[in-house]
CSV table of all heavy atoms in Angstrom, one decimal:
chain,number,residue,atom,x,y,z
A,1,SER,N,0.8,-1.2,0.0
A,1,SER,CA,0.0,0.0,0.0
A,1,SER,C,0.8,1.3,0.0
A,1,SER,O,0.4,2.3,-0.4
A,1,SER,CB,-0.9,0.0,1.2
A,1,SER,OG,-0.2,0.0,2.4
A,2,THR,N,2.1,1.2,0.4
A,2,THR,CA,3.0,2.4,0.4
A,2,THR,C,3.5,2.7,-0.9
A,2,THR,O,4.1,3.8,-1.1
A,2,THR,CB,4.1,2.1,1.4
A,2,THR,OG1,4.9,0.9,1.0
A,2,THR,CG2,3.7,1.9,2.8
A,3,GLY,N,3.3,1.8,-1.9
A,3,GLY,CA,3.8,2.0,-3.3
A,3,GLY,C,5.0,1.2,-3.6
A,3,GLY,O,5.5,1.2,-4.7
A,4,GLY,N,5.6,0.5,-2.6
A,4,GLY,CA,6.7,-0.4,-2.9
A,4,GLY,C,6.3,-1.7,-3.6
A,4,GLY,O,5.2,-2.2,-3.4
A,5,VAL,N,7.1,-2.1,-4.6
A,5,VAL,CA,6.9,-3.3,-5.4
A,5,VAL,C,8.1,-4.1,-5.4
A,5,VAL,O,9.2,-3.6,-5.6
A,5,VAL,CB,6.4,-2.9,-6.8
A,5,VAL,CG1,6.1,-4.2,-7.6
A,5,VAL,CG2,5.2,-2.0,-6.8
A,6,THR,N,8.0,-5.4,-5.1
A,6,THR,CA,9.1,-6.4,-5.2
A,6,THR,C,8.8,-7.3,-6.3
A,6,THR,O,7.7,-7.9,-6.4
A,6,THR,CB,9.2,-7.1,-3.9
A,6,THR,OG1,9.4,-6.2,-2.8
A,6,THR,CG2,10.4,-8.1,-3.9
A,7,ILE,N,9.8,-7.4,-7.2
A,7,ILE,CA,9.6,-8.2,-8.5
A,7,ILE,C,10.6,-9.4,-8.5
A,7,ILE,O,11.8,-9.2,-8.2
A,7,ILE,CB,9.8,-7.4,-9.7
A,7,ILE,CG1,9.0,-6.1,-9.6
A,7,ILE,CG2,9.5,-8.1,-11.0
A,7,ILE,CD1,9.8,-4.9,-9.2
A,8,THR,N,10.1,-10.5,-8.8
A,8,THR,CA,10.9,-11.7,-9.0
A,8,THR,C,10.7,-12.3,-10.4
A,8,THR,O,9.6,-12.6,-10.7
A,8,THR,CB,10.6,-12.8,-7.9
A,8,THR,OG1,10.7,-12.3,-6.6
A,8,THR,CG2,11.5,-14.0,-8.0
A,9,ALA,N,11.8,-12.3,-11.1
A,9,ALA,CA,11.7,-12.8,-12.5
A,9,ALA,C,12.9,-13.6,-12.9
A,9,ALA,O,13.8,-13.8,-12.1
A,9,ALA,CB,11.5,-11.6,-13.5
A,10,ARG,N,13.0,-14.0,-14.2
A,10,ARG,CA,14.1,-14.8,-14.6
A,10,ARG,C,15.3,-14.0,-15.1
A,10,ARG,O,16.4,-14.6,-15.2
A,10,ARG,CB,13.6,-15.8,-15.8
A,10,ARG,CG,12.6,-16.8,-15.3
A,10,ARG,CD,12.2,-17.7,-16.5
A,10,ARG,NE,11.3,-18.7,-16.1
A,10,ARG,CZ,10.8,-19.6,-16.9
A,10,ARG,NH1,11.1,-19.6,-18.2
A,10,ARG,NH2,9.9,-20.5,-16.4
A,11,SER,N,15.1,-12.8,-15.4
A,11,SER,CA,16.2,-11.9,-15.9
A,11,SER,C,15.9,-10.5,-15.6
A,11,SER,O,14.8,-10.1,-15.2
A,11,SER,CB,16.4,-12.1,-17.5
A,11,SER,OG,15.2,-11.6,-18.2
A,12,VAL,N,17.0,-9.6,-15.8
A,12,VAL,CA,16.8,-8.2,-15.5
A,12,VAL,C,15.8,-7.6,-16.5
A,12,VAL,O,15.1,-6.7,-16.1
A,12,VAL,CB,18.2,-7.5,-15.6
A,12,VAL,CG1,18.1,-6.0,-15.4
A,12,VAL,CG2,19.1,-8.1,-14.5
A,13,ASN,N,15.9,-8.0,-17.7
A,13,ASN,CA,14.9,-7.4,-18.7
A,13,ASN,C,13.5,-7.8,-18.4
A,13,ASN,O,12.6,-7.0,-18.6
A,13,ASN,CB,15.3,-8.0,-20.1
A,13,ASN,CG,16.6,-7.5,-20.6
A,13,ASN,OD1,17.0,-6.4,-20.2
A,13,ASN,ND2,17.2,-8.2,-21.5
A,14,ASP,N,13.3,-9.0,-17.8
A,14,ASP,CA,11.9,-9.4,-17.4
A,14,ASP,C,11.4,-8.5,-16.2
A,14,ASP,O,10.3,-8.2,-16.1
A,14,ASP,CB,11.9,-10.8,-17.1
A,14,ASP,CG,12.0,-11.7,-18.3
A,14,ASP,OD1,11.9,-11.2,-19.4
A,14,ASP,OD2,12.2,-13.0,-18.1
A,15,VAL,N,12.4,-8.2,-15.3
A,15,VAL,CA,12.0,-7.3,-14.2
A,15,VAL,C,11.5,-5.9,-14.7
A,15,VAL,O,10.5,-5.4,-14.3
A,15,VAL,CB,13.2,-7.2,-13.2
A,15,VAL,CG1,12.9,-6.1,-12.2
A,15,VAL,CG2,13.5,-8.5,-12.6
A,16,GLN,N,12.3,-5.4,-15.7
A,16,GLN,CA,11.9,-4.1,-16.2
A,16,GLN,C,10.6,-4.2,-17.0
A,16,GLN,O,9.7,-3.3,-16.8
A,16,GLN,CB,13.0,-3.6,-17.1
A,16,GLN,CG,12.7,-2.2,-17.7
A,16,GLN,CD,13.9,-1.7,-18.6
A,16,GLN,OE1,14.9,-2.4,-18.7
A,16,GLN,NE2,13.7,-0.5,-19.2
A,17,SER,N,10.4,-5.2,-17.7
A,17,SER,CA,9.1,-5.4,-18.4
A,17,SER,C,7.9,-5.5,-17.5
A,17,SER,O,6.8,-5.0,-17.7
A,17,SER,CB,9.2,-6.6,-19.4
A,17,SER,OG,10.2,-6.4,-20.3
A,18,ALA,N,8.2,-6.2,-16.4
A,18,ALA,CA,7.1,-6.4,-15.4
A,18,ALA,C,6.7,-5.1,-14.8
A,18,ALA,O,5.5,-4.8,-14.5
A,18,ALA,CB,7.5,-7.4,-14.3
A,19,VAL,N,7.7,-4.2,-14.5
A,19,VAL,CA,7.3,-2.9,-13.9
A,19,VAL,C,6.5,-2.1,-14.9
A,19,VAL,O,5.6,-1.4,-14.6
A,19,VAL,CB,8.6,-2.2,-13.5
A,19,VAL,CG1,8.3,-0.8,-13.0
A,19,VAL,CG2,9.3,-2.9,-12.4
A,20,GLU,N,6.9,-2.1,-16.2
A,20,GLU,CA,6.2,-1.4,-17.2
A,20,GLU,C,4.8,-1.9,-17.4
A,20,GLU,O,3.9,-1.2,-17.7
A,20,GLU,CB,7.0,-1.5,-18.6
A,20,GLU,CG,8.3,-0.8,-18.6
A,20,GLU,CD,9.1,-1.0,-19.8
A,20,GLU,OE1,8.6,-1.8,-20.7
A,20,GLU,OE2,10.2,-0.4,-20.0
A,21,ARG,N,4.6,-3.2,-17.2
A,21,ARG,CA,3.2,-3.8,-17.3
A,21,ARG,C,2.3,-3.4,-16.1
A,21,ARG,O,1.1,-3.2,-16.2
A,21,ARG,CB,3.3,-5.3,-17.4
A,21,ARG,CG,3.9,-5.8,-18.8
A,21,ARG,CD,2.8,-5.7,-19.9
A,21,ARG,NE,1.6,-6.4,-19.5
A,21,ARG,CZ,1.4,-7.7,-19.7
A,21,ARG,NH1,2.4,-8.5,-20.2
A,21,ARG,NH2,0.3,-8.3,-19.3
A,22,ILE,N,2.9,-3.4,-14.9
A,22,ILE,CA,2.1,-3.2,-13.7
A,22,ILE,C,1.8,-1.7,-13.4
A,22,ILE,O,0.9,-1.4,-12.7
A,22,ILE,CB,2.8,-3.9,-12.5
A,22,ILE,CG1,1.8,-4.1,-11.4
A,22,ILE,CG2,4.0,-3.0,-12.0
A,22,ILE,CD1,0.8,-5.1,-11.7
A,23,PHE,N,2.6,-0.8,-14.0
A,23,PHE,CA,2.4,0.6,-13.7
A,23,PHE,C,1.1,1.1,-14.1
A,23,PHE,O,0.4,1.7,-13.3
A,23,PHE,CB,3.6,1.4,-14.3
A,23,PHE,CG,3.4,2.9,-14.0
A,23,PHE,CD1,3.8,3.5,-12.8
A,23,PHE,CD2,2.9,3.7,-15.0
A,23,PHE,CE1,3.6,4.8,-12.6
A,23,PHE,CE2,2.7,5.1,-14.8
A,23,PHE,CZ,3.1,5.6,-13.6
A,24,PRO,N,0.6,0.9,-15.3
A,24,PRO,CA,-0.7,1.4,-15.7
A,24,PRO,C,-1.9,0.8,-14.9
A,24,PRO,O,-2.9,1.4,-14.7
A,24,PRO,CB,-0.9,1.1,-17.2
A,24,PRO,CG,0.1,0.0,-17.4
A,24,PRO,CD,1.2,0.2,-16.5
A,25,LEU,N,-1.7,-0.4,-14.4
A,25,LEU,CA,-2.7,-1.1,-13.6
A,25,LEU,C,-2.8,-0.5,-12.2
A,25,LEU,O,-4.0,-0.3,-11.7
A,25,LEU,CB,-2.4,-2.6,-13.5
A,25,LEU,CG,-2.3,-3.4,-14.8
A,25,LEU,CD1,-2.0,-4.8,-14.6
A,25,LEU,CD2,-3.5,-3.2,-15.7
A,26,VAL,N,-1.7,-0.2,-11.5
A,26,VAL,CA,-1.8,0.3,-10.2
A,26,VAL,C,-2.0,1.9,-10.2
A,26,VAL,O,-2.4,2.4,-9.2
A,26,VAL,CB,-0.5,0.0,-9.4
A,26,VAL,CG1,-0.3,-1.5,-9.3
A,26,VAL,CG2,0.7,0.6,-10.1
A,27,TYR,N,-1.7,2.5,-11.4
A,27,TYR,CA,-1.9,4.0,-11.5
A,27,TYR,C,-3.4,4.3,-11.3
A,27,TYR,O,-3.8,5.4,-10.8
A,27,TYR,CB,-1.4,4.5,-12.8
A,27,TYR,CG,-1.4,6.0,-12.9
A,27,TYR,CD1,-0.4,6.8,-12.3
A,27,TYR,CD2,-2.4,6.6,-13.7
A,27,TYR,CE1,-0.5,8.1,-12.4
A,27,TYR,CE2,-2.4,8.0,-13.8
A,27,TYR,CZ,-1.5,8.7,-13.2
A,27,TYR,OH,-1.5,10.1,-13.3
A,28,GLU,N,-4.3,3.4,-11.7
A,28,GLU,CA,-5.7,3.6,-11.6
A,28,GLU,C,-6.2,3.7,-10.2
A,28,GLU,O,-7.2,4.3,-9.8
A,28,GLU,CB,-6.4,2.5,-12.4
A,28,GLU,CG,-8.0,2.7,-12.4
A,28,GLU,CD,-8.6,1.5,-13.1
A,28,GLU,OE1,-7.9,0.7,-13.7
A,28,GLU,OE2,-9.9,1.5,-13.1
A,29,PHE,N,-5.4,3.0,-9.3
A,29,PHE,CA,-5.8,2.9,-7.9
A,29,PHE,C,-4.8,3.6,-7.0
A,29,PHE,O,-4.6,3.3,-5.8
A,29,PHE,CB,-5.9,1.4,-7.4
A,29,PHE,CG,-6.8,0.6,-8.2
A,29,PHE,CD1,-6.4,-0.1,-9.3
A,29,PHE,CD2,-8.2,0.5,-7.8
A,29,PHE,CE1,-7.3,-0.9,-10.1
A,29,PHE,CE2,-9.1,-0.3,-8.5
A,29,PHE,CZ,-8.7,-1.0,-9.6
A,30,ARG,N,-4.3,4.7,-7.5
A,30,ARG,CA,-3.4,5.5,-6.7
A,30,ARG,C,-4.1,6.3,-5.6
A,30,ARG,O,-5.3,6.7,-5.8
A,30,ARG,CB,-2.6,6.4,-7.6
A,30,ARG,CG,-3.4,7.5,-8.2
A,30,ARG,CD,-2.6,8.3,-9.2
A,30,ARG,NE,-3.3,9.4,-9.8
A,30,ARG,CZ,-4.2,9.3,-10.8
A,30,ARG,NH1,-4.4,8.1,-11.4
A,30,ARG,NH2,-4.8,10.3,-11.3
A,31,LYS,N,-3.5,6.5,-4.5
A,31,LYS,CA,-4.1,7.3,-3.4
A,31,LYS,C,-3.8,8.8,-3.7
A,31,LYS,O,-2.8,9.2,-4.2
A,31,LYS,CB,-3.4,6.9,-2.1
A,31,LYS,CG,-3.7,5.5,-1.6
A,31,LYS,CD,-3.1,5.3,-0.3
A,31,LYS,CE,-3.4,3.9,0.2
A,31,LYS,NZ,-2.7,3.6,1.5
A,32,PRO,N,-4.8,9.7,-3.3
A,32,PRO,CA,-4.6,11.1,-3.5
A,32,PRO,C,-3.4,11.6,-2.6
A,32,PRO,O,-3.2,11.1,-1.5
A,32,PRO,CB,-5.9,11.7,-3.0
A,32,PRO,CG,-6.6,10.7,-2.2
A,32,PRO,CD,-6.1,9.4,-2.7
A,33,ARG,N,-2.7,12.5,-3.1
A,33,ARG,CA,-1.5,13.0,-2.3
A,33,ARG,C,-2.0,14.0,-1.2
A,33,ARG,O,-2.8,14.8,-1.3
A,33,ARG,CB,-0.6,13.8,-3.2
A,33,ARG,CG,0.1,12.9,-4.3
A,33,ARG,CD,1.0,13.8,-5.2
A,33,ARG,NE,1.7,13.0,-6.2
A,33,ARG,CZ,2.4,13.5,-7.2
A,33,ARG,NH1,2.5,14.8,-7.3
A,33,ARG,NH2,3.0,12.7,-8.1
A,34,THR,N,-1.3,13.8,0.0
A,34,THR,CA,-1.6,14.6,1.1
A,34,THR,C,-0.6,15.8,1.1
A,34,THR,O,0.4,15.8,0.3
A,34,THR,CB,-1.3,13.8,2.4
A,34,THR,OG1,0.0,13.4,2.4
A,34,THR,CG2,-2.3,12.6,2.5
A,35,PRO,N,-0.9,16.9,1.8
A,35,PRO,CA,0.1,18.0,1.9
A,35,PRO,C,1.5,17.6,2.2
A,35,PRO,O,2.5,18.2,1.8
A,35,PRO,CB,-0.5,19.0,2.9
A,35,PRO,CG,-2.0,18.7,2.8
A,35,PRO,CD,-2.1,17.2,2.6
A,36,ALA,N,1.6,16.6,3.1
A,36,ALA,CA,3.0,16.1,3.5
A,36,ALA,C,3.7,15.5,2.3
A,36,ALA,O,4.9,15.7,2.1
A,36,ALA,CB,2.9,15.1,4.6
A,37,ASP,N,2.9,14.7,1.5
A,37,ASP,CA,3.5,14.1,0.3
A,37,ASP,C,3.9,15.2,-0.7
A,37,ASP,O,5.0,15.0,-1.4
A,37,ASP,CB,2.5,13.2,-0.4
A,37,ASP,CG,2.2,12.0,0.5
A,37,ASP,OD1,3.0,11.7,1.4
A,37,ASP,OD2,1.1,11.4,0.4
A,38,GLU,N,3.1,16.2,-0.9
A,38,GLU,CA,3.5,17.3,-1.8
A,38,GLU,C,4.8,18.0,-1.3
A,38,GLU,O,5.6,18.3,-2.2
A,38,GLU,CB,2.3,18.3,-1.9
A,38,GLU,CG,1.1,17.8,-2.5
A,38,GLU,CD,1.2,17.6,-4.0
A,38,GLU,OE1,2.2,18.1,-4.6
A,38,GLU,OE2,0.4,16.9,-4.6
A,39,GLU,N,4.9,18.2,0.0
A,39,GLU,CA,6.1,18.9,0.5
A,39,GLU,C,7.3,18.0,0.3
A,39,GLU,O,8.4,18.4,-0.1
A,39,GLU,CB,5.9,19.2,2.0
A,39,GLU,CG,7.1,19.9,2.6
A,39,GLU,CD,7.3,21.3,2.0
A,39,GLU,OE1,6.4,21.9,1.4
A,39,GLU,OE2,8.5,21.8,2.1
A,40,MET,N,7.1,16.7,0.5
A,40,MET,CA,8.3,15.8,0.3
A,40,MET,C,8.7,15.7,-1.2
A,40,MET,O,9.9,15.7,-1.5
A,40,MET,CB,7.9,14.4,0.8
A,40,MET,CG,9.0,13.3,0.8
A,40,MET,SD,8.5,11.7,1.4
A,40,MET,CE,8.0,12.1,3.0
A,41,LEU,N,7.7,15.7,-2.1
A,41,LEU,CA,8.0,15.7,-3.5
A,41,LEU,C,8.7,17.0,-3.9
A,41,LEU,O,9.6,16.9,-4.7
A,41,LEU,CB,6.7,15.5,-4.3
A,41,LEU,CG,6.8,15.4,-5.8
A,41,LEU,CD1,7.7,14.3,-6.2
A,41,LEU,CD2,5.5,15.3,-6.5
A,42,ARG,N,8.3,18.1,-3.3
A,42,ARG,CA,8.9,19.4,-3.7
A,42,ARG,C,10.4,19.4,-3.2
A,42,ARG,O,11.3,19.9,-3.9
A,42,ARG,CB,8.2,20.5,-3.0
A,42,ARG,CG,8.6,21.9,-3.6
A,42,ARG,CD,7.7,23.0,-2.9
A,42,ARG,NE,6.3,22.8,-3.2
A,42,ARG,CZ,5.4,22.4,-2.3
A,42,ARG,NH1,5.8,22.2,-1.0
A,42,ARG,NH2,4.1,22.3,-2.6
A,43,GLN,N,10.6,18.9,-2.0
A,43,GLN,CA,12.0,18.8,-1.5
A,43,GLN,C,12.9,17.8,-2.3
A,43,GLN,O,14.0,18.1,-2.6
A,43,GLN,CB,12.0,18.3,0.0
A,43,GLN,CG,11.4,19.4,0.9
A,43,GLN,CD,11.3,18.9,2.3
A,43,GLN,OE1,11.8,17.7,2.6
A,43,GLN,NE2,10.8,19.7,3.2
A,44,ARG,N,12.3,16.8,-2.8
A,44,ARG,CA,13.0,15.8,-3.6
A,44,ARG,C,13.4,16.4,-4.9
A,44,ARG,O,14.5,16.2,-5.4
A,44,ARG,CB,12.2,14.5,-3.8
A,44,ARG,CG,12.9,13.4,-4.5
A,44,ARG,CD,12.0,12.2,-4.6
A,44,ARG,NE,11.6,11.8,-3.2
A,44,ARG,CZ,10.7,10.8,-3.1
A,44,ARG,NH1,10.2,10.1,-4.1
A,44,ARG,NH2,10.3,10.4,-1.8
A,45,ARG,N,12.5,17.2,-5.5
A,45,ARG,CA,12.9,17.9,-6.8
A,45,ARG,C,13.9,18.9,-6.6
A,45,ARG,O,14.8,19.1,-7.4
A,45,ARG,CB,11.6,18.5,-7.4
A,45,ARG,CG,10.6,17.5,-7.9
A,45,ARG,CD,9.4,18.1,-8.4
A,45,ARG,NE,8.4,17.2,-8.9
A,45,ARG,CZ,7.2,17.5,-9.3
A,45,ARG,NH1,6.7,18.8,-9.2
A,45,ARG,NH2,6.3,16.6,-9.8
A,46,ALA,N,13.9,19.6,-5.4
A,46,ALA,CA,14.9,20.7,-5.2
A,46,ALA,C,16.2,20.1,-4.9
A,46,ALA,O,17.3,20.7,-5.3
A,46,ALA,CB,14.4,21.5,-4.0
A,47,ALA,N,16.3,18.9,-4.3
A,47,ALA,CA,17.5,18.2,-4.0
A,47,ALA,C,18.1,17.4,-5.2
A,47,ALA,O,19.2,16.9,-5.1
A,47,ALA,CB,17.4,17.3,-2.8
């Protein structure tokens, strides 16, 4: 639920392909950002 994903596959290319496949599926069920998340994202971009 925090957004972390652990992938187990047969090769590094399969790991990357799995992330590309799962991203549009979980993007539909993303949680709305809180003010704390917005501030953390702003600090991450500044750094």
